């Protein structure tokens, strides 16, 4: 007797099967056998898990809402270049001081040499350092704009960050442009550069003081997270301070503070909502509304300056 042929994977095949006669099986009848196809996996990156409600969100749906959860409104991280694309009119951004690059003046080494860490971060993020600066249009209003990125060594402020921001502020002063700085820095001064990094807080703050004396409008936008030396210097010095919902804003983190003072901290301590209630920020603005709110503030606060710069 011939043995049944092995069915091809995914095909409809037949095998010799017994014929049931009076409840007993006999040979000679053919019955179809369908093989089971292997299950297809879900493509990687198609879904995202929300850090707010912990629900699973379709990536394209979240991206259409500027990386905001459509169910709970949680604001996800966006890179500096994504932020520029969201905030400025399309095709208007002109980067300034891109040639400035960080060095390793102290020959610093922790788990790896600082010079190697810089190269690795630059390859991973596509940035030369934490901040992007330049000029562009917001609803057809010319502005000077800076955006920091927490993905690059946690957004810590080194010499290049301070120098780029200082030049941005000085150019905004010279060109009479409204100044917008979006902060997303979980680190403070960059320890790898020592005192050279700490100096940047004072340098940028001094430039902002001269800008203010000249009559400029500085709008500071705080996002999650804005901490350390960034929060302690330029991020807190805006004429108007906007913040995204539920952003973590402060100097030391809440766990460090709790461990130091040994008392229970208030609910939602160091969040945008807590700081708005206590007068530290002026307004909480959802990401989808940020562009329009900044344009409205420019029209209301510095129409004279913007008209002068537009005509020059």
């Amino acid at each position: 007797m011939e043995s049944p042929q092995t069915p091809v994977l995914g095909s409809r095949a037949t095998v010799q099967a017994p014929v049931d006669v009076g409840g007993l099986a006999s040979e000679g009848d053919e019955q179809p056998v369908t093989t089971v196809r292997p299950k297809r996996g879900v493509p990687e990156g198609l879904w995202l898990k929300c850090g707010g409600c912990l629900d699973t969100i379709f990536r394209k749906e979240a991206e259409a809402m500027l990386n905001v959860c459509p169910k709970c409104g949680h604001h996800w991280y966006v890179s500096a270049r994504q932020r520029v694309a969201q905030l400025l009119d399309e095709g208007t951004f002109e980067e300034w001081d891109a040639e400035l690059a960080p060095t390793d003046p102290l020959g610093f080494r922790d788990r790896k040499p600082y010079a190697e860490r810089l190269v690795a971060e630059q390859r991973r993020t596509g940035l030369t350092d934490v901040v992007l600066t330049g000029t562009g249009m917001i609803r057809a209003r010319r502005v000077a704009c800076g955006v920091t990125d927490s993905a690059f060594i946690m957004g810590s402020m080194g010499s290049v960050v301070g120098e780029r921001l200082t030049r941005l502020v000085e150019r905004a002063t010279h060109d009479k442009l409204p100044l917008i700085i979006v902060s997303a820095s979980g680190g403070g001064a960059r320890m790898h550069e020592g005192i050279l990094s700490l100096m940047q807080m004072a340098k940028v703050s001094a430039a902002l003081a001269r800008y203010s004396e000249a009559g400029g409008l500085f709008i500071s936008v705080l996002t999650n997270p804005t901490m350390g030396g960034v929060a302690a210097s330029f991020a807190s010095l805006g004429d108007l301070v906007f913040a995204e919902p539920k952003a973590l804003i402060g100097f030391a983190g809440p766990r460090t503070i709790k461990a130091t003072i040994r008392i229970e901290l208030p609910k939602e301590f160091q969040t945008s909502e807590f700081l708005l209630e206590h007068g530290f920020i002026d307004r909480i603005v959802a990401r989808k509304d940020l562009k329009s709110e900044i344009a409205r503030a420019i029209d209301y606060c510095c129409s004279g300056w913007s008209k002068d710069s537009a005509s020059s």
Side-chain angles (χ1 to χ4, degrees), residues 117-135:
R117 186 180 298 279
L118 284 172
V119 172
E121 291 292 297
Q122 288 166 349
R123 287 175 178 169
R124 185 176 63 84
T125 63
L127 301 170
T128 54
D129 212 318
V130 166
V131 70
L132 279 178
T133 59
T135 183

Side-chain angles (χ1 to χ4, degrees), residues 17 19 85 87 138 146 176 181 187-188 201 234 240 285 299 301 308:
V19 178
L87 193 58
I138 295 181
K176 295 187 176 182
I181 298 180
M201 297 170 61
F234 65 85
L240 292 173
V285 183
D299 287 346
C301 297
D308 291 342

Side-chain angles (χ1 to χ4, degrees), residues 83-166:
R83 182 78 65 175
V84 166
Q86 292 175 4
L87 193 58
L88 301 182
D89 298 345
E90 186 177 357
T92 64
F93 181 64
E94 174 191 337
E95 188 173 355
W96 290 341
D97 302 309
E99 73 283 356
L100 293 179
T103 59
D104 183 14
L106 304 181
F108 191 92
R109 182 188 184 98
D110 48 7
R111 285 181 298 174
K112 66 168 70 173
Y114 179 45
E116 291 181 15
R117 186 180 298 279
L118 284 172
V119 172
E121 291 292 297
Q122 288 166 349
R123 287 175 178 169
R124 185 176 63 84
T125 63
L127 301 170
T128 54
D129 212 318
V130 166
V131 70
L132 279 178
T133 59
T135 183
M137 308 285 278
I138 295 181
R139 302 271 190 245
R141 298 154 180 84
R142 175 70 60 185
V143 299
C145 182
V147 180
T148 65
D149 194 325
S150 61
F152 194 106
I153 314 184
M154 273 312 294
S156 56
M157 184 164 56
S159 302
V160 168
V161 178
E163 183 63 22
R164 284 184 182 175
L165 287 172
T166 301

